Amino acid sequence: MTPQEIEALFTREDGNFLFARWGRPLSPVVFGVDDATLSVIKGALEAVCHLAGHQMAETDPELGSNFMVFFFKEWSELPEVPGLDRLVPDLGPLVQKLQAVEANQYRLFRFDEAGAIKACFVFLRMDQHLSDVPAQTLALSQIVQSFLLWSDRAFKEQSPLAVAEGTTILRPDIAGLLRAAYDPVLPAAAQDASHALRLFARLDKPQ
């Protein structure tokens, strides 16, 4: 992966470079799935945490849970979730907007004073397309996309996942970038494109 390719993954549609990683341990909670799916999501979350060298915790001292994943059938169910309107600003207009474009997924991030990710809410409307995706693939894809503040166009052309010998895995270049992004020497947030060079310098180079 070149510095230019890395820069593109964090350059938004408006041309601004914006990088952020989690600045605190993840305290996840998942709504709307059975125990079997929950265990798949937990396994994927632990795998990505291990890869990045990041931690999980039972609770977040400020928010209780800071990584929430919601599975549901229709966007109209969201306003009925008790207290969600306090966590998600302008929940009503957001739901209307997502309904209008027939979206099947949405991620909302919140940040601390330093610009690091402090919370992420993942909403998945299980339409026919998402329902056809294997649970492991869906879980891994959503978790990887929640671990960094990727560009809004980062994975439009190519998924962060790949298939190796019939098993869905994280693409090796994305895995290497994720590992580099969580190097404790690097800042948790950056708005200068030169940060892509610092990430590139920390990638595992082929022998």
Side-chain angles (χ1 to χ4, degrees):
M1 191 178 278
T2 66
Q4 292 77 18
E5 288 171 330
I6 295 172
E7 183 180 333
L9 288 171
F10 301 102
T11 301
R12 310 192 73 73
E13 199 88 47
D14 60 9
N16 289 322
F17 180 92
L18 191 56
F19 166 91
R21 71 183 186 211
W22 282 83
R24 57 181 69 190
L26 272 75
S27 301
V29 62
V30 183
F31 301 94
V33 295
D34 57 23
D35 288 346
T37 306
L38 186 61
S39 116
V40 169
I41 296 169
K42 184 170 181 283
L45 193 52
E46 288 172 346
V48 177
C49 269
H50 179 72
L51 169 72
H54 197 56
Q55 298 80 39
M56 284 200 291
E58 285 296 320
T59 57
D60 178 83
E62 183 184 349
L63 301 166
S65 294
N66 58 25
F67 182 51
M68 299 185 181
V69 185
F70 297 84
F71 290 80
F72 50 90
K73 288 289 185 186
E74 297 297 338
W75 289 112
S76 57
E77 296 172 41
L78 287 187
E80 299 170 7
V81 177
L84 188 59
D85 56 340
R86 292 198 302 272
L87 294 171
V88 180
D90 301 320
L91 179 62
L94 174 63
V95 165
Q96 290 178 353
K97 177 182 167 185
L98 294 169
Q99 283 176 320
V101 297
E102 298 185 354
N104 60 10
Q105 56 185 286
Y106 185 76
R107 270 177 304 283
L108 176 69
F109 291 92
R110 288 171 62 180
F111 305 92
D112 63 21
E113 299 77 14
I117 300 169
K118 76 170 182 179
C120 179
F121 306 96
V122 180
F123 302 104
L124 299 171
R125 180 176 70 87
M126 298 305 289
D127 62 2
Q128 189 61 52
H129 174 69
L130 287 189
S131 298
D132 289 342
V133 178
Q136 183 182 8
T137 302
L138 185 59
L140 188 55
S141 171
Q142 293 299 326
I143 289 164
V144 168
Q145 292 181 76
S146 304
F147 245 72
L148 294 172
L149 185 66
W150 305 95
S151 157
D152 43 2
R153 54 189 181 181
F155 301 118
K156 281 188 176 177
E157 302 294 325
Q158 188 179 13
S159 165
L161 308 183
V163 177
E165 298 178 355
T167 302
T168 300
I169 61 166
L170 192 53
R171 269 170 40 202
D173 55 343
I174 296 297
L177 182 55
L178 196 61
R179 195 182 295 112
Y182 276 84
D183 185 324
V185 173
L186 294 179
Q191 297 182 26
D192 193 308
S194 64
H195 192 72
L197 292 171
R198 303 179 73 182
L199 293 169
F200 175 74
R202 284 162 176 79
L203 291 180
D204 298 327
K205 303 298 190 293
Q207 299 298 314

